[in-house]
Amino acid sequence: MKILVSNDDGVFSPGLHALADAVAGFATEVVVVAPEADRSGASNSLTLDRPLYVRPAARPNTHFVNGTPTDCVHVAVTGFLPWKPDLVVSGINKGQNLAEDTLYSGTVAAAMEGYLLGIPAIAFSLSAHHFGQLDTATHVVQRVIAGVLQQPPSPHYLLNVNIPSVPLGELQGYEVTRLGRRHEAQPVIRTHSPRGEPMYWVGPPGEVRDATPGTDFHAIAQRRVSITPLRVDLGHAEAISSLEQWLQRLP
Ligand code: MN
């Protein structure tokens, strides 16, 4: 069992190191390839305007790339590693990745890149902006990895795992979920540079719109681990027939 580990918080993240340590006991090979800096929100971007390097970090079997999470997994799988991983894991992200967050998340994107390259993949996120409950997250990672190695949920899978930031004893179990929905994002925050030029900070994500039972939002609110199966298909099959009718009426 060979496991590739990546993230979007960057090579210095305690969550990345915890994930690598958590999966080590399951694998003959564990290699970490992570962005050299925090690339949260990078989504599925690839770097096309400059070359990428893969350099060794101080930690054993750990490397950093001057690129995005997607770059890391892409370069590792298609050129850097001498073997094809059996599993790609990403995280442990500082902050949850629920509902539409999955579209912007570099954590999910790193896993998704593995999935697109034919490798089962799992993204792990901790639902707090700190690593105070990293022990809980590590425990969850090990249970999930043990589970998928014992019996894969399907031949090819992409899972988005979100972990409540609570002490292990307060965890209320595990739940398979669907993505919830958010309202549209908050506006950008307008400010000025020291030289008077207008600047804009991207604002916070939108408030929760669908957090009904069965959603990832609901599971996390109930202090349960949320496991959402993801797919990669932006196509909207249900809209095809009405669009065909629209096309017939085109002036
Ligand atoms: Mn992140």
Side-chain angles (χ1 to χ4, degrees):
M1 174 58 50
K2 301 180 180 71
I3 300 179
L4 172 62
V5 182
S6 193
N7 77 344
D8 75 356
D9 293 337
V11 71
F12 297 108
S13 171
L16 176 74
H17 305 158
L19 180 58
D21 291 343
V23 302
F26 297 98
T28 52
E29 303 261 11
V30 176
V31 169
V32 177
V33 181
E36 65 181 355
D38 187 344
R39 301 302 301 269
S40 294
S43 191
N44 301 88
S45 54
L46 279 170
T47 299
L48 303 177
D49 61 347
R50 58 190 163 81
L52 300 168
Y53 54 78
V54 183
R55 288 179 172 157
R59 278 176 60 94
N61 303 317
T62 302
H63 310 265
F64 61 89
V65 174
N66 59 328
T68 65
T70 299
D71 288 331
C72 291
V73 173
H74 191 86
V75 168
V77 172
T78 68
F80 175 71
L81 292 175
W83 35 260
K84 185 176 182 179
D86 302 299
L87 181 69
V88 173
V89 294
S90 176
I92 300 167
N93 190 59
K94 186 165 69 175
Q96 62 192 17
N97 279 304
L98 305 172
E100 285 92 339
D101 303 344
T102 51
L103 290 171
Y104 299 96
S105 167
T107 305
V108 173
M112 193 179 290
E113 186 64 14
Y115 178 78
L116 289 170
L117 293 169
I119 305 163
I122 312 175
F124 293 97
S125 302
L126 185 58
S127 73
H129 290 290
H130 58 80
F131 283 124
Q133 304 297 341
L134 207 46
D135 288 350
T136 300
T138 299
H139 173 88
V140 169
V141 166
Q142 290 183 323
R143 275 203 75 187
V144 171
I145 298 292
V148 298
L149 295 189
Q150 186 186 45
Q151 186 174 357
S154 59
H156 190 43
Y157 56 88
L158 172 60
L159 304 180
N160 185 38
V161 177
N162 282 272
I163 302 155
S165 183
V166 297
L168 186 55
E170 295 177 21
L171 204 60
Q172 299 298 310
Y174 294 64
E175 183 179 345
V176 174
T177 57
R178 59 186 160 84
L179 296 177
R181 294 285 304 280
R182 286 188 185 280
H183 287 285
E184 63 193 73
Q186 301 289 307
V188 293
I189 295 158
R190 191 176 197 265
T191 178
H192 286 88
S193 79
R195 286 159 292 283
E197 184 184 2
M199 305 190 304
Y200 302 88
W201 279 100
V202 171
E207 293 298 316
V208 169
R209 184 195 334 229
D210 176 10
T212 51
T215 62
D216 47 7
F217 280 133
H218 189 265
I220 289 296
Q222 302 298 312
R223 300 187 162 201
R224 290 196 284 271
V225 175
S226 168
I227 306 179
T228 311
L230 300 181
R231 64 179 171 184
V232 186
D233 180 1
L234 290 176
H236 189 356
E238 297 87 342
I240 286 177
S241 69
S242 68
L243 188 61
E244 283 173 340
Q245 289 167 27
W246 170 86
L247 186 60
Q248 295 298 322
R249 298 191 299 270
L250 208 60

